[in-house]
């Protein structure tokens, strides 16, 4: 029998409660992360990626509210936990790396001490033992262990982001949620860091939920990918399958948006129009105003999820 | 003889004074930047963060004074003149990365386009100006023009705002547009539209383009030639397709090896290590020596010159220069 997935997000719904009403920015999103997997969530800005990451860790603040669904972690629904239990889950079971985390490092405290603080908060270790752990964590992410004595401003952006990843690894959680972890970095640094993340994953066997707007990056790193559009999952598939045989018109369009480095420099078509305003989403399929294949049904009813292959689901009326 | 290039940059240097404790030191943002942009040509300037791309663009647009070197526009020495003539400002237009920061939130889109038209005398009289504004909005694919002209920047998406920035540049009928990362803040599905718009301006109106980007694939998509910069030096120049397919300089090879590819799982290893170059007190020799997998003794002593390697290509690397030739120079 196969073990249950590490993380199971089921029909997650998040709404922002604004003066003019409820805005549903995550609409019945379901996906799983198994042990040792890197699962990607791709989507354009505003599609709900960060909201999902924060919802999983229960870090959403008002006016945002989770209004439906379940987030099962090791079989337990995180949405039912109290604040004390949640604190035990965060960091130790699930940690979060965000795009802005590297600027959130405390400028007046050495990175070694910041790492020790992160460890101490959960485990009563001595300062000396803690610092030794900090040193090893830095080496793990490809930094010189002696850098424990450095202050954040003495490190480059790429090095700071490595420190943030070291912090996320500190308590060896089985799941790390990474929201645009390399977006602020240069291509070469980004590539080095992603190589490091992939290597660590191979070594330690933790799972990653990897969130980015950059589909081409995701195709390289992830085992499976979910494509979000306006708060809904348009398609989910194994990475190779998604690249080779995308089925949803939006996924197909998106894959056609990246110029190639080699081969013929043919004109790209892109996707016309712009993503909808979440306050006034179009009825039916939210992609229909930009879709070249829409049917009458697309204007009135949201397409159901259809399983089209192993681990491959598509939400589109074109599919039987 | 071929006509003079539209923009000709020779040995451009730019240092900034930065404070280091009590002392003031020179940061060498540009040391030796040499390239040209011909009429109607699209050239991409690529390189990692801090390599000097934006500084080069700002010096070329005369928003920053150069510290050394030459800048010719249409054959004329522009650095010789202290004051920047209005006609130069009109012929060289800049577009920035953040389309929100470059538009004033209190003014309508129409106002943003009227101003340059009036300032540069490109249209006169209410009706003529309005007609020209609508034409400009149409030409960058913003419709319906009349409605858009009445909107304010915050009512537009990032892609639409970038189109407004392009329309504003077009208002003064420039010879060249310097675009500094014009699409890096845009979503993939929107980015293509803006890239295609720039491509059309070049092909249909013959406007030259200097595109600054860190995305090599966009560089190749748009630019006839690509100029690679590292630590304030131009290290390679060539037709974009050739540079991407068969890079000459070890740094270009590194950049190309870092581009994600869908074959997955990091199949190709990186061609060199990371690490930022020193711009304050730079070491002698080749600026890439500290990271270069092919570094040899000579690289640490002697800065290689930017030299022709074939008819259309230049490289700044000792691997591509016969020893006898450079010893004589
Ligand atoms: N006004 C300034 N004062 C001091 N240093 C500066 C100034 N402007 C730029 N620099 C420095 O000059 C170098 C080149 O900067 P520049 O902005 O041209 O890089 P870039 O290639 O455009 O990088 P990016 O890809 O990050 O935009 C950097 O080291 C930068 O810190
Ligand atoms: N505090 C807030 N109040 C109202 N709407 C919000 C708030 N924060 C985010 N949103 C909206 O939620 C949607 C999803 O945002 P987000 O999860 O940040 O997207 P992504 O990370 O994919 O860019 C967007 O439409 C955004 O405007
Ligand atoms: S459901 Fe209809 S509108 Fe939506 S993607 Fe499929 S065909 Fe297009
Ligand atoms: S000159 Fe030497 S160090 Fe510089 S790029 Fe060439 S081989 Fe490498
Ligand atoms: Mg986000
Ligand atoms: Mg720049």
């Amino acid at each position: 029998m196969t073990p249950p997935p590490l993380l199971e997000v089921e029909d997650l719904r998040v709404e922002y409660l604004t003066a003019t009403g409820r805005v549903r920015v995550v609409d019945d999103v379901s996906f799983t992360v198994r042990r040792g997997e890197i699962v990607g969530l791709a989507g354009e800005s505003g599609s709900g990626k960060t909201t999902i990451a924060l919802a999983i860790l229960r870090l959403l603040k008002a006016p945002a509210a989770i209004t439906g669904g379940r987030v099962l972690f090791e079989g337990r629904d995180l949405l039912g936990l109290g604040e004390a239990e949640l604190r035990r889950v965060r960091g130790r079971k699930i940690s979060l790396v965000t795009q802005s985390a590297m600027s959130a490092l405390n400028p007046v405290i050495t990175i070694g001490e910041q790492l020790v603080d992160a460890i101490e908060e959960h485990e009563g270790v001595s300062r000396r033992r803690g610092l030794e752990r900090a040193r090893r964590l830095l080496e793990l992410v490809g930094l010189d262990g002696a850098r424990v004595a450095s202050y954040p401003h003495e490190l480059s952006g790429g090095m700071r982001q490595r420190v943030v990843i070291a912090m996320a690894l500190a308590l060896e959680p089985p799941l790390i949620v990474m929201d645009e972890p390399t977006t602020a970095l240069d291509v070469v640094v980004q590539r080095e860091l992603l190589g490091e993340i992939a290597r660590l994953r191979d070594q330690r066997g933790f799972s990653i939920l990897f969130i980015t707007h950059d589909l081409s990056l995701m195709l390289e790193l992830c085992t499976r990918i979910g494509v979000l559009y306006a708060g809904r999952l348009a398609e989910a598939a194994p990475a190779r399958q998604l690249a080779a045989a995308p089925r949803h018109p939006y996924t197909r369009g998106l894959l056609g948006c990246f110029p190639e480095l080699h081969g013929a420099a043919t004109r790209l078509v892109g996707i016309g129009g712009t993503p909808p305003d979440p306050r006034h989403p179009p009825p039916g399929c939210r992609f229909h105003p930009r879709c070249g294949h829409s049917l009458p049904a697309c204007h009135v009813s949201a397409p159901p999820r259809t399983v089209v292959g192993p681990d491959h689901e598509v939400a589109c009326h074109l599919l039987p | 003889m071929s006509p003079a290039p539209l923009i000709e940059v020779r040995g451009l240097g730019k240092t900034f004074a930065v404070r280091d404790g009590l002392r003031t030191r020179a940061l060498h943002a540009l040391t030796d930047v040499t390239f040209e942009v011909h009429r109607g040509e699209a050239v991409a300037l690529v390189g990692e963060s801090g390599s000097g791309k934006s500084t080069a663009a700002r010096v070329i647009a005369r928003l920053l004074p150069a510290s050394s070197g030459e800048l010719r526009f249409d054959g004329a020495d522009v650095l010789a003149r202290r004051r920047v003539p209005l006609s130069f400002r009109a012929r060289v237009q800049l577009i920035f990365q953040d389309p929100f920061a470059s538009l004033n939130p209190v003014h309508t889109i129409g106002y943003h386009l009227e101003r340059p038209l009036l300032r540069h005398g490109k249209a006169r009289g209410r009706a003529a100006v309005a007609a020209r504004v609508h034409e400009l909005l149409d030409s960058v694919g913003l419709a319906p023009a009349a409605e858009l002209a009445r909107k304010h920047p915050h009512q537009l998406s990032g892609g639409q705002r970038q189109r407004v920035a392009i329309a504003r540049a077009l208002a003064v009928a420039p010879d060249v547009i310097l675009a500094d990362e014009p699409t890096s803040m845009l979503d993939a599905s929107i980015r293509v539209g803006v890239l295609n718009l720039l491509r059309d301006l070049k092909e249909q109106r013959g406007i030259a383009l200097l595109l600054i980007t860190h995305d090599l694939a966009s560089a190749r998509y748009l630019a006839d030639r690509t100029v690679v910069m590292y630590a304030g030096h131009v290290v390679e120049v060539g037709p974009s397709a050739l540079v991407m397919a068969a890079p000459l300089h070890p740094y270009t090879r590194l950049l190309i090896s870092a581009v994600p590819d869908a074959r997955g799982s990091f199949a190709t290893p990186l061609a060199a290590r990371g690490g930022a170059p020193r711009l304050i007190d730079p070491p002698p020799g080749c600026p890439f020596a500290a990271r270069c997998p092919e570094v040899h003794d000579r690289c640490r002593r002697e800065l290689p010159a930017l030299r022709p390697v074939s008819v259309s290509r230049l490289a700044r690397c000792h691997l591509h220069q016969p020893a006898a030739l450079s010893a004589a120079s």
Side-chain angles (χ1 to χ4, degrees), chain A residues 67-108:
Chain A
T67 54
R70 300 200 297 170
V71 177
L72 299 171
F73 182 79
E74 294 180 331
R76 240 182 357 160
D77 188 359
L78 299 183
L79 302 189
L81 298 188
E83 196 50 42
E85 287 170 298
L86 279 173
R87 261 200 300 277
R88 277 195 294 277
V89 169
R90 291 182 203 131
R92 192 181 305 198
K93 292 290 190 186
I94 310 177
S95 60
L96 176 67
V97 173
T98 65
Q99 180 181 355
S100 54
M102 61 182 190
S103 42
L105 290 171
N106 190 326
V108 298

Side-chain angles (χ1 to χ4, degrees), chain B residues 159 162-163 166 182-183 186 190-198:
Chain B
Q162 205 54 297
R163 285 174 191 268
I166 295 171
T183 60
L186 304 180
I190 308 299
R191 184 168 60 214
V192 176
V194 174
L195 287 176
N196 282 342
L197 173 60
L198 290 170

Side-chain angles (χ1 to χ4, degrees), chain B residues 183-315:
Chain B
T183 60
S184 64
M185 287 177 67
L186 304 180
D187 272 316
S189 78
I190 308 299
R191 184 168 60 214
V192 176
V194 174
L195 287 176
N196 282 342
L197 173 60
L198 290 170
R199 197 158 138 156
D200 293 343
L201 292 179
K202 179 204 152 217
E203 268 154 28
Q204 290 159 17
R205 302 188 184 203
I207 297 176
L209 191 67
L210 181 63
L211 174 77
I212 292 174
T213 177
H214 57 259
D215 179 27
L216 295 179
S218 300
R220 193 189 74 127
Y221 186 64
L222 215 58
D224 306 298
R225 290 188 307 128
T226 293
V227 174
V228 184
M229 283 187 61
Y230 185 76
H233 297 73
V234 166
V235 298
E236 176 160 1
V237 182
S240 303
L242 286 177
V243 170
M244 308 305 164
L248 295 171
H249 196 280
Y251 176 65
T252 317
R253 266 180 245 153
L254 168 63
L255 277 184
I256 288 170
S257 71
V259 175
D261 74 274
R263 278 174 304 154
S265 62
F266 301 90
T268 44
L270 267 185
R273 287 174 304 119
R278 255 166 50 200
L279 298 180
I280 297 175
D281 260 338
C286 170
F288 193 54
R291 293 167 70 182
C292 182
E294 310 202 46
V295 60
H296 45 287
D297 271 355
R298 187 170 165 218
C299 310
R300 297 205 177 82
R301 290 192 313 265
E302 213 184 299
L303 171 67
L306 184 67
R307 284 180 193 278
V309 174
S310 69
V311 186
S312 58
R313 307 185 64 178
L314 305 168

Side-chain angles (χ1 to χ4, degrees), chain A residues 158-240:
Chain A
M159 292 164 91
R160 279 201 297 264
Q161 198 62 329
R162 280 172 200 258
V163 172
V164 168
I165 289 169
M167 273 187 183
L169 289 169
L171 303 167
E172 307 200 5
L175 176 66
I176 305 182
V177 177
M178 299 187 173
D179 185 9
E180 312 261 10
T182 59
T183 301
L185 305 175
D186 247 3
V187 273
V188 174
V189 182
Q190 166 175 295
R191 173 59 196 255
E192 270 181 343
L193 201 53
L194 292 179
E196 206 77 62
I197 291 171
R199 187 183 59 78
L200 283 171
R201 197 282 315 251
D202 292 346
Q203 251 174 35
R204 310 242 149 173
F206 51 79
S207 310
I208 301 175
L209 178 61
F210 189 85
I211 295 175
T212 178
H213 66 279
D214 189 344
L215 192 56
S216 59
L217 198 71
M218 190 164 273
L219 288 171
E220 175 148 10
L221 188 72
C222 298
T223 17
R224 290 186 297 126
I225 295 174
V227 178
L228 280 171
Y229 185 79
R232 289 183 187 158
L233 215 44
E235 180 161 12
R240 305 294 161 87

Side-chain angles (χ1 to χ4, degrees), chain B residues 121-208:
Chain B
K122 299 287 178 187
R124 250 177 265 282
R126 269 181 90 89
V129 170
R132 185 80 188 103
V133 165
H134 293 175
E135 229 175 85
L136 284 166
L137 288 170
D138 274 339
S139 70
V140 295
L142 288 174
E147 192 181 307
L148 264 139
R150 284 193 298 271
K151 290 195 171 176
H152 284 83
H154 73 267
Q155 294 170 293
L156 269 52
S157 70
Q160 288 177 317
R161 290 196 289 257
Q162 205 54 297
R163 285 174 191 268
V164 171
I166 295 171
R168 181 171 57 178
L170 293 177
V172 297
D175 290 326
V176 59
I177 293 179
L178 312 182
D180 192 351
E181 310 260 15
T183 60
S184 64
M185 287 177 67
L186 304 180
D187 272 316
S189 78
I190 308 299
R191 184 168 60 214
V192 176
V194 174
L195 287 176
N196 282 342
L197 173 60
L198 290 170
R199 197 158 138 156
D200 293 343
L201 292 179
K202 179 204 152 217
E203 268 154 28
Q204 290 159 17
R205 302 188 184 203
I207 297 176

